[in-house]
Amino acid sequence: MNASKRLAIFDRLAEATPEPTTELQYSTPFELLVAVVLSAQATDKGVNKATAKLFPVANTPEALLALGLDGLKEFIKTIGLFNSKAANIIALCRQLLDLHHGEVPATREALEALPGVGRKTANVILNTAFGHATIAVDTHIFRVANRTGLAPGKNVREVEEKLDKWTPGKHKKDAHHLLILHGRYTCTARKPKCPVCVIEDLCEYRDKTPSL
């Protein structure tokens, strides 16, 4: 796939979704951090249901520590892997208070040093909370990048590096959300909605679903 086709793809995705953003509900960088940690192997909808009850009660590191591990688990027990996620969130709250004055750091190194925060989560926080042009490759982006031919790769890091290199500059900041939303609602895993896809003629996927 050449640069002009990639630009056309992002131009169309951006036109279809002028203000792409996360579907996780949050009002502060800390709330976003907690929500992203909770979202691993879980749906945004499920996370939002839990945090809608949690955040009015505890939405700062101090408040979550006061709530305690068992108290936090009560709010997030509907989310997969809630035991380990609760432990990580309590631990990262302590680290934020000990090392960062309770604030979410805006550097990759500091974010990845937090319990439960890997490269993907750090990229989401850098992009969504702080406006950095990072691209966090989740299952949706990995699928879209490979299926369309936009940035094929054998693993998420390879896809991330290619997207980072090849995404047109004007779309770099929004690329993460544009690709996730496209994968979530159009370029779905089992039966992509090719007949109504805005980039159908640009996509290099060989097994496109036919029109109904």
Side-chain angles (χ1 to χ4, degrees):
M1 182 176 289
N2 59 37
S4 61
K5 186 181 281 190
R6 288 193 192 93
L7 176 60
I9 285 174
F10 277 109
D11 280 347
R12 289 193 194 174
L13 292 177
E15 184 178 0
T17 310
E19 296 182 3
T21 188
T22 181
E23 293 186 313
L24 291 171
Q25 295 171 1
Y26 72 99
S27 59
T28 66
F30 178 74
E31 287 187 358
L32 177 64
L33 176 60
V34 171
V36 176
V37 170
L38 291 174
S39 71
Q41 299 180 49
T43 65
D44 287 2
K45 185 177 180 179
V47 172
N48 288 338
K49 282 186 177 180
T51 57
K53 296 178 181 178
L54 171 64
F55 289 157
V57 174
N59 70 340
T60 65
E62 296 91 341
L64 273 172
L65 286 177
L67 190 63
L69 183 61
D70 290 338
L72 174 57
K73 286 181 181 181
E74 280 300 308
F75 283 97
I76 67 170
K77 61 186 178 182
T78 56
I79 297 173
L81 307 174
F82 75 92
N83 282 310
S84 60
K85 289 176 181 179
N88 281 330
I89 289 170
I90 292 297
L92 74 80
C93 285
R94 290 197 184 99
Q95 193 161 314
L96 288 176
L97 289 169
D98 290 343
L99 302 179
H100 304 289
H101 307 288
E103 299 295 324
V104 177
T107 67
R108 179 186 301 284
E109 182 180 19
L111 283 167
E112 289 189 22
L114 294 170
V117 177
R119 184 178 181 85
K120 184 176 74 173
T121 297
N123 277 337
V124 173
I125 301 303
L126 289 170
N127 177 266
T128 306
F130 300 115
H132 296 200
T134 54
I135 301 174
V137 179
D138 69 348
T139 55
H140 295 299
I141 293 182
F142 185 78
R143 178 177 66 254
V144 171
N146 276 286
R147 183 183 274 168
T148 62
L150 190 65
K154 296 179 181 179
N155 53 61
V156 293
R157 186 61 180 268
E158 188 176 345
V159 169
E160 180 190 331
E161 290 174 353
K162 287 184 177 180
L163 285 172
D164 189 55
K165 180 180 179 181
W166 293 339
T167 300
K170 70 176 183 176
H171 293 298
K172 198 83 171 286
K173 183 176 176 293
D174 288 334
H176 168 75
H177 295 301
L178 287 171
L179 294 175
I180 281 182
L181 294 171
H182 186 64
R184 185 171 289 165
Y185 296 110
T186 302
C187 196
T188 51
R190 294 186 179 180
K191 191 176 181 181
K193 301 172 184 176
C194 301
V196 297
C197 176
V198 296
I199 61 168
E200 190 271 342
D201 58 314
L202 299 170
C203 168
E204 296 180 358
Y205 182 47
R206 293 180 180 179
D207 302 317
K208 293 176 183 175
T209 53
S211 299
L212 298 177

